[in-house]
Amino acid sequence: MSFPLLTLTAAVPAVGAILTAAVPAARRTAAKWLALLVSLVTLVLAAVVMVRFEPGGDRYQLVESHSWIKDFGVRYELGVDGIGVALIALTALLIPFVILAGWHDADPLETKSSRWRPTQGFFALILMVEAMVILSFEATDVFLFYILFEAMLIPMYFLIGGFGDRAHAGSDENAAAQRSYAAVKFLLYNLVGGLIMLAAVIGLYVVAGNFSLTEIAEARASGQLEMATNTERLLFLGFFFAFAVKAPLWPLHTWLPNAMGEATAPVAVLITAVVDKVGTFAMLRFCLQLFPEASQWATPVIIALALVSIVYGALLAVGQRDIKRLVAYASISHFGFIIMGIFAMTTQGQSGATLYMVNHGISTAALMLVAGFLISRRGSRLIADYGGVQKVAPVLAGTFLIGGLATLSLPGLAPFVSEFLVLVGTFARYPVAGIIATTGIVLAALYTLVLYQRTMTGPVVTEEVRRMPDLRVRELVVVTPLIALLIFLGVFPKPLTDIVNPAVSHTMSDVQQKDPQPAVPTQNLEAAK
């Protein structure tokens, strides 16, 4: 293409972040509106990418390629397949809601005498994360992807540590210490994963001589590039470890509950609904495409780890007393489903996993943002401090219920389709794993309905709850489109599946896998008569 549409889609939020940060200290409302406008322009560009993408066309489309570091064969190389397009659309869709939901999150940090501009910084960091995540979904140069994979940690660190949740029962000093601990833990876990990945990226360059995903994959498929079995497996493990930390997969998950618990609700959505998707996306794009044999070799262990994530995350969610940590552990369980679907090596499993990434992003955003509105009214994250909310704020309670029902994958809501496909695809090749994974559905119903019962039903427990206002106009603008999307994609997922399925077919071809045949062959009806 002569017009760099993919670059523009990522450049707009990046430039918007710089402009937002430069807004004068006294004009923080203008900074908010500028950030929202930039996010809406990015959403329009993402919609143009979806329209221009042809599901039945070339695997990577809207390709851009320019020399960057010539001596090392590093290129600024972009391209999108159906999976990347779906996740770019998810990211661009959620950021305006994140900005609206966090409209006042930096206000308590504002002081008349301070030259620090927390409002401008808060929204600038959100836009910078959006730019890096979108570009990571577009990058087809391994080195470029690695740079983005690591760079997005910096703004996220400041969003967690500098603008964290202030709904703490303890002192301000204790709250600040908790936020700092969560931010450092997030950074260290992901940096360790990134350093291991860097070693694998260098190893890949030594073996292949370049960083181009498409060139390496084509050379491998044609037999022009041979990798020793042990070399391929070591490189796969280096990449997969970093992605499993980001995803996160048990036992590399422990940073997520701290990060989501201490971050504001919009930043928590940014973590689990946007940034973490880079890990699962990269498993599909890089692990399976670059290391097909090693991916099959590691599949049994990864399926086992995914099952542990599903059950372990759900069990810990059941026992949580903190609303936000409950959602965090539920997300660990859901990421287990996504990873299990990817490595089930079936069309249904990988299609379901991709849909799950999108649907989990929407459902978690709906639930977490409503939970954030609830917490901001009461000033507490503890479930025990609530009760009877539906009597005083019925709209808030109703939207909270729909978000919770989507989290437990109720039929008719978007996550049901993806979870069903993951289970069907897994059962076709690994029936025992499919059966065990269904326990996650039962536990999801338990922690979701118990959470709703304890917070929304029964008598009004405190005077703070009795005075609680219902959702305001800005909050309804945030929640209503997300709920509408959950319902629409729950009854009509075809627009997404049409985009995703051709990319999944390419991925299945990369790993040289075909869907297993039914155990009971289809009989000829005429012969049966």
Side-chain angles (χ1 to χ4, degrees), residues 60 77 140 142 211-217 285-286 289-290:
Y60 292 107
E77 194 171 84
T140 55
V142 177
F211 292 106
S212 174
L213 170 69
T214 53
E215 290 183 16
I216 296 172
R285 170 164 285 190
F286 295 100
Q289 193 169 347
L290 293 175

Side-chain angles (χ1 to χ4, degrees), residues 92-305:
L93 173 72
L94 291 182
I95 296 301
F97 299 127
V98 167
I99 290 173
L100 275 174
W103 200 253
H104 299 298
D105 283 1
D107 290 355
L109 299 173
E110 293 283 356
T111 59
K112 293 182 179 179
S113 60
S114 175
R115 294 184 178 180
W116 183 45
R117 296 174 288 186
T119 297
Q120 289 87 333
F122 180 72
F123 293 105
L125 289 170
I126 290 174
L127 290 176
M128 189 56 68
V129 171
E130 178 182 25
M132 292 179 181
V133 170
I134 288 176
L135 202 57
S136 69
F137 291 142
E138 299 171 345
T140 55
D141 183 276
V142 177
F143 188 81
L144 173 62
F145 174 82
Y146 170 76
I147 295 296
L148 296 165
F149 187 82
E150 291 291 89
M152 68 180 69
L153 301 179
I154 300 171
M156 287 306 307
Y157 169 80
F158 288 109
L159 284 170
I160 297 168
F163 301 91
D165 188 10
R166 282 158 175 77
H168 280 272
S171 64
D172 290 341
E173 293 79 6
N174 181 60
Q178 291 294 326
R179 291 195 298 272
S180 177
Y181 172 78
V184 170
K185 189 173 183 179
F186 161 82
L187 187 63
L188 289 179
Y189 266 68
N190 284 275
L191 278 178
V192 169
L195 288 173
I196 293 174
M197 180 183 169
L198 176 60
V201 169
I202 295 171
L204 181 66
Y205 176 76
V206 171
V207 172
N210 66 79
F211 292 106
S212 174
L213 170 69
T214 53
E215 290 183 16
I216 296 172
E218 288 173 2
R220 297 223 62 194
S222 63
Q224 297 176 0
L225 174 61
E226 297 286 344
M227 285 189 194
T229 300
N230 289 337
T231 300
E232 179 177 347
R233 292 177 180 180
L234 286 173
L235 293 177
F236 168 85
L237 290 174
F239 277 82
F240 180 80
F241 182 86
F243 303 152
V245 172
K246 183 87 79 179
L249 178 68
W250 184 92
L252 306 171
H253 67 284
T254 58
W255 63 267
L256 182 64
N258 295 101
M260 288 185 65
E262 298 306 322
T264 63
V267 173
V269 170
L270 200 61
I271 295 169
T272 190
V274 177
V275 173
D276 287 356
K277 298 301 187 299
V278 176
T280 48
F281 163 80
M283 291 178 189
L284 278 165
R285 170 164 285 190
F286 295 100
C287 286
L288 299 190
Q289 193 169 347
L290 293 175
F291 315 111
E293 187 278 333
S295 298
Q296 296 179 53
W297 163 74
T299 287
V301 174
I302 295 173
I303 292 287
L305 294 176

Side-chain angles (χ1 to χ4, degrees), residues 93 97 362 475-487:
L93 173 72
F97 299 127
I362 299 171
E475 296 164 337
L476 285 171
V477 170
V478 171
V479 175
T480 303
L482 295 175
I483 291 176
L485 268 175
L486 288 173
I487 296 171

Side-chain angles (χ1 to χ4, degrees), residues 25-64:
R27 305 296 300 273
R28 65 174 183 265
T29 301
K32 296 177 183 180
W33 284 106
L34 175 60
L36 180 61
L37 177 62
V38 169
S39 69
L40 292 174
V41 173
T42 306
L43 178 58
V44 171
L45 290 171
V48 173
V49 170
M50 288 192 74
V51 172
R52 294 292 300 272
F53 183 80
E54 299 177 7
D58 295 336
R59 179 172 190 173
Y60 292 107
Q61 300 178 33
L62 309 177
V63 174
E64 302 172 31

Side-chain angles (χ1 to χ4, degrees), residues 195-421:
L195 288 173
I196 293 174
M197 180 183 169
L198 176 60
V201 169
I202 295 171
L204 181 66
Y205 176 76
V206 171
V207 172
N210 66 79
F211 292 106
S212 174
L213 170 69
T214 53
E215 290 183 16
I216 296 172
E218 288 173 2
R220 297 223 62 194
S222 63
Q224 297 176 0
L225 174 61
E226 297 286 344
M227 285 189 194
T229 300
N230 289 337
T231 300
E232 179 177 347
R233 292 177 180 180
L234 286 173
L235 293 177
F236 168 85
L237 290 174
F239 277 82
F240 180 80
F241 182 86
F243 303 152
V245 172
K246 183 87 79 179
L249 178 68
W250 184 92
L252 306 171
H253 67 284
T254 58
W255 63 267
L256 182 64
N258 295 101
M260 288 185 65
E262 298 306 322
T264 63
V267 173
V269 170
L270 200 61
I271 295 169
T272 190
V274 177
V275 173
D276 287 356
K277 298 301 187 299
V278 176
T280 48
F281 163 80
M283 291 178 189
L284 278 165
R285 170 164 285 190
F286 295 100
C287 286
L288 299 190
Q289 193 169 347
L290 293 175
F291 315 111
E293 187 278 333
S295 298
Q296 296 179 53
W297 163 74
T299 287
V301 174
I302 295 173
I303 292 287
L305 294 176
L307 286 174
V308 174
S309 288
I310 291 169
V311 179
Y312 174 84
L315 283 172
L316 265 65
V318 172
Q320 288 304 304
R321 297 180 296 174
D322 183 312
I323 296 174
K324 292 169 70 177
R325 289 178 70 90
L326 185 152
V327 179
Y329 280 109
S331 290
I332 291 170
S333 181
H334 295 149
F335 275 106
F337 277 107
I338 294 171
I339 295 170
M340 184 177 70
I342 291 172
F343 285 90
M345 301 294 183
T346 60
T347 302
Q348 300 98 325
Q350 292 187 358
S351 293
T354 305
L355 291 178
Y356 215 136
M357 292 186 223
V358 176
N359 294 334
H360 171 263
I362 299 171
S363 62
T364 300
L367 180 61
M368 180 58 84
L369 292 179
V370 177
F373 299 149
L374 179 70
I375 292 168
S376 67
R377 285 158 164 75
R378 178 65 176 83
S380 173
R381 300 177 348 212
L382 298 179
I383 297 171
D385 289 338
Y386 297 88
V389 174
Q390 68 180 14
K391 290 183 172 63
V392 297
V395 177
L396 189 154
T399 53
F400 190 82
L401 177 61
I402 295 174
L405 293 176
T407 299
L408 64 82
S409 300
L410 184 77
L413 297 176
F416 169 77
V417 180
S418 44
E419 195 165 281
F420 178 78
L421 285 173

